[in-house]
Amino acid sequence: MLTGFGFRAGAELADGIDSIVHDSVITFQDVDDASARVVQQLREEYAGQPDVLRQKLADAYKETLEELQERQLILHDFETAGYNLPESIIDEEFENYIKDKYHGDRVAFIKTLQEEGITYERARQDYRDTFIVEQMRIKNVSSAIIISPHKIETYYLDHKDDFKEEDRVKLRMIVLTNAPETDTTQTKRLAEEILGKLKGGASFADMATIYSQGSQARQGGEWDWVEKSVLRKELADVAFTLKPGQMSGVIETPGAYYIMLVEDRQDARVRPLADVRDQIEKLLLAKERTRLQQAWIEKLRKKTFVREFPY
């Protein structure tokens, strides 16, 4: 099997034929090259789990091979359907690609190709194939998708639990951390001084910007909307007892002191359709695109010679 996956016994099989799509050959090395980045990520992620790693690599191998087969099926369909793509368009698009990715620096582009052992002609051919595949997918899949308002509304009604929100509050927060070398009494004293200024009419946002050591200090301590489950218990227990406009006292935790201002609050609810319509549409588009893609590829497989070789 694949040298990159650690399944094949011997590098001599790298150029062996993995599968044939019409008259296009996909070698083991082709799959190795196409999956190299994923394989590296999997090896790092599952380094201490050899059995899991082996299965993940097998799945990645299968998925990569299918992707390469699909690519050849689409290219074969393009050729046999009699489509005409002027080479001048490819030249123009390829030049735009170089300009975008290499800021027009052809020398840097050529150097990168040389380092990867790829010729300019091979790079252009790969780009041409990718361009054709993308255009064929648009023609046969994406352009055929229509998500009606009725489908969106039906999905919303059938999946309301997915759009539930917990009780939440709109917060501003001042955070004073207890550094290891700092006397915690000094930190607490500073927190109480800040609280006194706030009670005296100082702007919470200004005080947060000046004193807070939290990540939202530059935003005036604004956390925007926060669900109860997001906050640590000591903070949640206080925040969700306050009414809009109310401020907490100094809240002490093992690592820091906090002062919170609740600007607004909202009870648990199901988000209205208007708020999630775009989200549902994108989800349905992705599902329909996958369905149509699978149906299209299956159709191409039925009318094209495809053979896989055991190893």
Side-chain angles (χ1 to χ4, degrees), residues 169-192:
V169 290
K170 190 174 184 181
L171 280 179
R172 285 188 186 271
M173 194 181 305
I174 295 172
V175 185
L176 301 177
T177 57
N178 291 323
E181 68 280 1
T182 303
D183 184 352
T184 58
T185 58
Q186 293 181 7
T187 307
K188 184 175 182 180
R189 189 178 302 118
L190 176 59
E192 290 171 343

Side-chain angles (χ1 to χ4, degrees), residues 113-176:
L113 293 182
Q114 290 174 342
E115 291 173 350
E116 296 177 355
I118 301 173
T119 64
Y120 179 89
E121 291 73 20
R122 168 68 184 276
R124 184 189 178 282
Q125 181 64 40
D126 286 346
Y127 184 86
R128 178 183 183 275
D129 291 348
T130 298
F131 182 84
I132 290 173
V133 169
E134 289 175 352
Q135 296 305 308
M136 290 290 283
R137 281 200 173 107
I138 291 172
K139 179 182 183 300
N140 291 277
V141 179
S142 299
S143 63
I145 300 175
I146 298 176
I147 304 298
S148 68
H150 176 70
K151 286 183 179 179
I152 295 174
E153 291 163 10
T154 299
Y155 184 91
Y156 175 75
L157 293 174
D158 291 342
H159 298 82
K160 276 196 170 183
D161 285 350
D162 295 345
F163 305 109
K164 285 183 177 178
E165 288 183 339
E166 302 175 33
D167 293 338
R168 59 181 190 160
V169 290
K170 190 174 184 181
L171 280 179
R172 285 188 186 271
M173 194 181 305
I174 295 172
V175 185
L176 301 177

Side-chain angles (χ1 to χ4, degrees), residues 25-79:
V25 173
I26 299 173
T27 66
F28 291 112
Q29 189 63 55
D30 291 332
V31 186
D32 273 345
D33 292 343
S35 60
R37 185 173 300 177
V38 172
V39 167
Q40 182 60 35
Q41 291 174 346
L42 290 173
R43 289 192 179 282
E44 292 174 359
E45 186 174 354
Y46 299 99
Q49 302 171 267
D51 292 338
V52 176
L53 174 61
R54 186 175 182 83
Q55 184 58 53
K56 292 287 184 181
L57 292 177
D59 293 343
Y61 166 77
K62 182 175 183 294
E63 183 177 340
T64 301
L65 177 58
E66 288 176 352
E67 289 173 355
L68 292 177
Q69 288 177 343
E70 288 179 8
R71 181 180 176 90
Q72 292 305 321
L73 285 167
I74 295 170
L75 291 171
H76 177 61
D77 189 48
F78 173 83
E79 297 296 337

